[in-house]
Amino acid sequence: MPGILETFEAKHALSGRLAARASETFPSGVTHDARAFAPWPVYVDRAQGPRKWDVDGNEYVDYIGGHGALLLGHNRPEVVEAIQAALARGTHFGSSHDIEVEWGQQVLNMVPCGERVRFTSSGTEATMMALRLARAYTGRERVIKLEEHFHGWHDIVVGRLRDDQAQPYSPGVPEGFYDSLTIVPAGDVEALRAALAPRDVAAVILEPTGAHFGTHPLTPSYLHTARAATEETGTIFVMDEVITGFRMAPGGAQERYGVNADLSTHAKIVAGGLPGGCLTGRADIVSMLEIRENDSEWNAGKRVSHQGTFNANPVSAAAGLSALRLIEAGGEVERADATAAALVRGLNALFQELS
């Protein structure tokens, strides 16, 4: 009787051949760390709704969901229609356009802290902007993040603690760079308060449901305590809602837990399954991006600049606007929650039966 490995290899022969070619093209043969599998990754040919099919014809229920970007499933008809209409107009104008305005207003309608918004092309860029704005606004340099919380792959947020050293570290980041980063244990209120006590912290950034897609959860009471502690010390409170935004509720974790951030970062669902992200929050902080006419001192020395060739490109804007309107209308988050609850009950019953 063949084992699991032999069965996998027999059922995924074409994926294996593609993986061999990819190993000569990409590091580890993949374009995202999470897609690296042994003996090789599955190569997908097409997807529809909650399912996808690989190049060998195998059918799967898709629990990856575009790394969390596809609350509405693959190829939701309304989103596809919006994308097709945008494509007919052009993929990239290099100019402002009407859909970006509607998309931005839709984000502000849904995110509780949203007063102004700026679009990016990814969640990494959104968190990078949040921390830069916080530093510019407060005049402080230090940032606090929680242990194991993920905020993309730009230099400051990839710092991790090593068992034998208190100083964060990451390969490829210059020595001394993490002098401005403090990592505190997740959920430890006293550690957070102690780190904030010197009143030299520009921002606290966290994932509101906790690290590793919420498998290391934070309590709602911790969020409320963090909100109060940052207000008391003049620190910008950043909720990274790339995972939770528009998924936990139409207004994300802020709506579900009743706590407002100063800034919140979004990606994945915000662009309807296409590349895109944004930062939104208090107008006085986001205004650090403003170009002020006849104010050269501000523009040259105080303003935070921001570029990005594909920011709010019309195709991502159309997809995002369509998806957010569907979510705002209701039923999508509730359906996802009910499906997850049914899956948990079913798996628990199966495990109990087999134990």
Side-chain angles (χ1 to χ4, degrees):
M1 181 176 180
I4 293 175
L5 181 60
E6 291 78 13
T7 300
F8 178 91
E9 291 177 345
K11 294 185 68 173
H12 301 89
L14 184 50
S15 280
R17 291 196 289 272
L18 286 169
R21 291 171 57 192
S23 67
E24 300 175 353
T25 307
F26 310 120
S28 297
V30 295
T31 54
H32 188 299
D33 285 355
R35 298 171 196 159
F37 293 100
W40 56 71
V42 168
Y43 283 74
V44 171
D45 177 63
R46 61 187 177 90
Q48 184 65 44
R51 298 179 183 275
K52 57 189 181 185
W53 292 262
D54 69 18
V55 293
D56 290 283
N58 301 300
E59 180 180 341
Y60 306 87
V61 175
D62 182 15
Y63 293 108
I64 296 176
H67 300 292
L70 300 175
L71 176 67
L72 305 178
H74 296 279
N75 289 343
R76 178 69 174 254
E78 299 94 328
V79 177
V80 171
E81 182 179 344
I83 291 170
Q84 290 171 335
L87 282 171
R89 296 174 60 184
T91 61
H92 194 301
F93 301 138
S95 300
S96 300
H97 55 91
D98 58 333
I99 309 176
E100 70 182 7
V101 179
E102 293 186 62
W103 191 24
Q105 290 175 339
Q106 187 67 40
V107 169
L108 298 185
N109 288 343
M110 296 176 73
V111 178
C113 75
E115 296 176 354
R116 293 291 187 275
V117 61
R118 189 70 170 246
F119 288 108
T120 64
S121 291
S122 69
T124 288
E125 293 173 58
T127 59
M128 186 190 309
M129 182 191 291
L131 298 184
R132 188 172 296 179
L133 285 174
R135 285 175 163 142
Y137 183 84
T138 63
R140 303 171 179 178
E141 292 189 358
R142 197 151 64 92
V143 168
I144 292 175
K145 71 182 290 283
L146 306 190
E147 193 169 7
E148 292 297 311
H149 281 221
F150 180 77
H151 305 292
W153 62 274
H154 56 96
D155 284 354
I156 192 70
V157 296
V158 298
R160 301 185 70 177
L161 295 174
R162 292 184 290 186
D163 292 338
D164 57 340
Q165 294 185 14
Q167 184 77 351
Y169 165 83
S170 182
V173 178
E175 186 177 350
F177 185 86
Y178 290 122
D179 290 346
S180 62
L181 176 67
T182 298
I183 299 177
V184 299
D188 188 330
V189 169
E190 294 310 315
L192 177 63
R193 286 181 172 144
L196 287 168
R199 295 176 179 263
D200 63 346
V201 178
V204 171
I205 186 169
L206 54 76
E207 294 184 83
T209 53
H212 304 294
F213 274 74
T215 57
H216 297 178
L218 286 180
T219 63
S221 64
Y222 181 88
L223 297 179
H224 285 275
T225 298
R227 169 70 282 184
T230 52
E231 284 181 342
E232 182 182 340
T233 56
T235 302
I236 305 303
F237 184 42
V238 183
M239 290 177 67
D240 182 354
E241 294 231 48
V242 167
I243 300 295
T244 57
F246 316 108
R247 181 184 287 107
M248 293 190 70
Q254 293 175 73
E255 176 184 335
R256 187 144 181 173
Y257 294 145
V259 55
N260 274 20
D262 295 310
L263 298 173
S264 66
T265 55
H266 302 265
K268 299 186 185 292
I269 289 175
V270 75
L274 293 187
C278 75
L279 171 136
T280 187
R282 283 169 40 189
D284 58 333
I285 303 174
V286 183
S287 70
M288 298 298 296
L289 296 165
E290 288 181 354
I291 300 172
R292 296 182 180 176
E293 189 175 359
N294 300 321
D295 191 343
S296 58
E297 181 182 355
W298 167 267
N299 293 333
K302 297 181 180 179
R303 173 183 171 268
V304 174
S305 63
H306 173 236
Q307 298 82 28
T309 299
F310 290 96
N311 294 343
N313 71 82
V315 183
S316 291
L321 177 62
S322 177
L324 294 185
R325 284 175 172 171
L326 287 167
I327 293 166
E328 184 184 44
E332 305 298 339
V333 171
E334 294 81 1
R335 185 178 300 109
D337 285 351
T339 302
L343 181 63
V344 168
R345 288 194 299 269
L347 286 172
N348 284 340
L350 177 63
F351 295 150
Q352 187 172 21
E353 179 183 333
L354 297 175
S355 64

